[in-house]
Amino acid sequence: MDVSTDNAAGLEQPEAPFWLCSPGYSIIVSRSPLMALWLEAQVNALAGFDPEDPVLDNGPLCAYPMPPLGDEAIDQPLARQVENLNWFGHPIFWLKGDILHAHPFPVEEDEEPRDEFDSEIYLRLALQLEVLGFYDSTTGAWHDVAKNLGVDINDPFDVARIRAWQSGEPDEQFDTFDFGEIVKFNYPIHAATAVAADLLPYALIASGAVGAYSLVTEIDKALDSRTAGVISNYAILVSALGMSYSGFLMTEEQYARWEKRMERITALFNRSTILPAKTASAYLLEMREVLNYVVTDNEDVVDDAVNVIKSLQKDLAGQLR
């Protein structure tokens, strides 16, 4: 199917691959912690990375896995390690160096100057890729970098060339191509971080509250299943995801209670792969109560936050095209 799209950088894209995304899915701010976790595992596995040592990671402010960031940023594109060549042209595998590093983050006058935190780099990258059209949330399609390189992964000659480069042989075109520079040229880092700073409070509320709602739904499904293994696994998953996605929206008392219960349930899980159904169910019900508070206490601002995010995206896309 030909899904031709244009992007703000004006790069030719005759056919757009989807790489696990679907129409209407935005990579700016995660709507579902479990979906983000699934995507992280799937993209790592399908690209051919070791599932025991995943290379890509994501967070609450970016709904798609990205390469190592900040101090762990890489100087060589991950395309050099991609085993499954169907993923060779994915933009995230051609990001390297400067664009992945932390850059000065706008702060108030009375605050100490600082660089971006990793979560803010995630937000900035997602913003750059989506606003420029390298990912199109309307269609769910990604830009295919292989097309820019003139590479056909179905051509035996091109496949041999890619494999030779991946094994360490020099290739002038692959070695000098820097997709991050194209992104930066069309949407400079300082401009993207300024927008990310404006977006941050809204993005945090949206990811925390919507993530909490998603987890409440998943808890209900787990409890309805009445299967000890399912309930046990969800107790562990939800405890960690709830804290990382929604913990900042909890009261101090709720957070402390959650942390204490999480330590207890993790200790129990470490002694047995399946928790007693009664224990896990009681824990899930308690977590549901806290998460439901997060949802109801923030429901008035979530719609505003989502609308602000969409409005910023639309305005920026119009300015950059």
Side-chain angles (χ1 to χ4, degrees):
M1 177 169 55
D2 188 350
V3 202
S4 299
T5 61
D6 296 321
N7 53 58
L11 294 180
E12 180 186 357
Q13 181 162 310
E15 186 177 347
F18 294 88
W19 284 309
L20 298 182
C21 291
S22 57
Y25 185 81
S26 173
I27 63 170
I28 300 173
V29 181
S30 176
R31 271 76 168 166
S32 166
L34 286 172
M35 177 64 174
L37 199 66
W38 177 84
L39 268 175
E40 181 183 313
Q42 289 295 306
V43 174
N44 273 290
L46 291 172
F49 298 119
D50 183 354
E52 298 298 320
D53 187 23
V55 176
L56 304 166
D57 194 8
N58 61 14
L61 299 183
C62 179
Y64 202 87
M66 294 286 175
L69 308 172
D71 293 339
E72 298 180 4
I74 50 178
D75 292 323
Q76 290 291 323
L78 286 173
R80 199 152 200 167
Q81 302 174 39
V82 171
E83 184 177 326
N84 181 354
L85 294 188
N86 288 319
W87 289 74
F88 183 73
H90 198 307
I92 63 171
F93 295 134
W94 287 94
L95 297 173
K96 64 179 181 179
D98 187 58
I99 198 168
L100 300 176
H101 285 286
H103 290 264
F105 192 77
V107 295
E108 299 296 332
E109 289 184 5
D110 58 346
E111 294 179 330
E112 288 290 322
R114 68 172 179 84
D115 287 341
E116 298 165 295
F117 297 132
D118 282 0
S119 60
E120 291 159 353
I121 304 177
Y122 278 123
L123 180 59
R124 188 244 302 158
L125 280 173
L127 193 65
Q128 287 174 297
L129 291 172
E130 189 163 325
V131 166
L132 286 172
F134 292 125
Y135 172 71
D136 184 350
S137 60
T138 302
T139 63
W142 288 87
H143 178 77
D144 189 351
V145 175
K147 297 290 193 301
N148 301 124
L149 295 167
V151 172
D152 182 355
I153 59 168
N154 296 308
D155 184 318
F157 176 83
D158 285 346
V159 170
R161 177 188 168 196
I162 293 169
R163 293 306 189 196
W165 178 63
Q166 289 181 327
S167 66
E169 292 185 23
D171 184 297
E172 184 177 0
Q173 185 188 28
F174 294 163
D175 289 335
T176 57
F177 183 76
D178 191 337
F179 182 65
E181 289 300 314
I182 296 174
V183 175
K184 286 160 52 181
F185 177 80
N186 289 279
Y187 194 178
I189 287 177
H190 68 86
T193 51
V195 175
D198 290 338
L199 198 60
L200 186 62
Y202 300 102
L204 285 169
I205 292 170
S207 68
V210 177
Y213 177 81
S214 168
L215 290 174
V216 166
T217 303
E218 294 300 332
I219 287 174
D220 288 342
K221 288 180 184 176
L223 292 172
D224 286 345
S225 75
R226 301 189 180 185
T227 304
V230 171
I231 294 172
S232 175
N233 287 335
Y234 268 78
I236 295 298
L237 264 177
V238 173
S239 62
L241 292 172
M243 182 170 282
S244 61
Y245 277 74
S246 307
F248 69 95
L249 290 176
M250 299 177 192
T251 65
E252 287 186 19
E253 181 183 346
Q254 287 172 332
Y255 188 88
R257 188 177 75 181
W258 188 292
E259 194 170 33
K260 186 176 180 181
R261 295 288 189 272
M262 181 177 169
E263 289 173 0
R264 179 172 174 270
I265 210 81
T266 303
L268 284 171
F269 189 79
N270 288 338
R271 292 202 294 269
S272 173
T273 53
I274 297 181
L275 300 172
K278 187 175 180 181
T279 301
S281 295
Y283 185 61
L284 280 173
L285 284 169
E286 186 172 1
M287 287 191 289
R288 189 190 189 288
E289 179 187 341
V290 175
L291 289 169
N292 205 46
Y293 163 83
V294 169
V295 174
T296 54
D297 199 53
N298 292 280
E299 61 186 352
D300 291 339
V301 292
V302 170
D303 285 342
D304 288 341
V306 172
N307 287 334
V308 167
I309 293 170
K310 287 181 178 178
S311 176
L312 269 172
Q313 286 178 263
K314 186 176 180 180
D315 290 347
L316 284 166
Q319 293 169 21
L320 293 168
R321 287 184 187 276

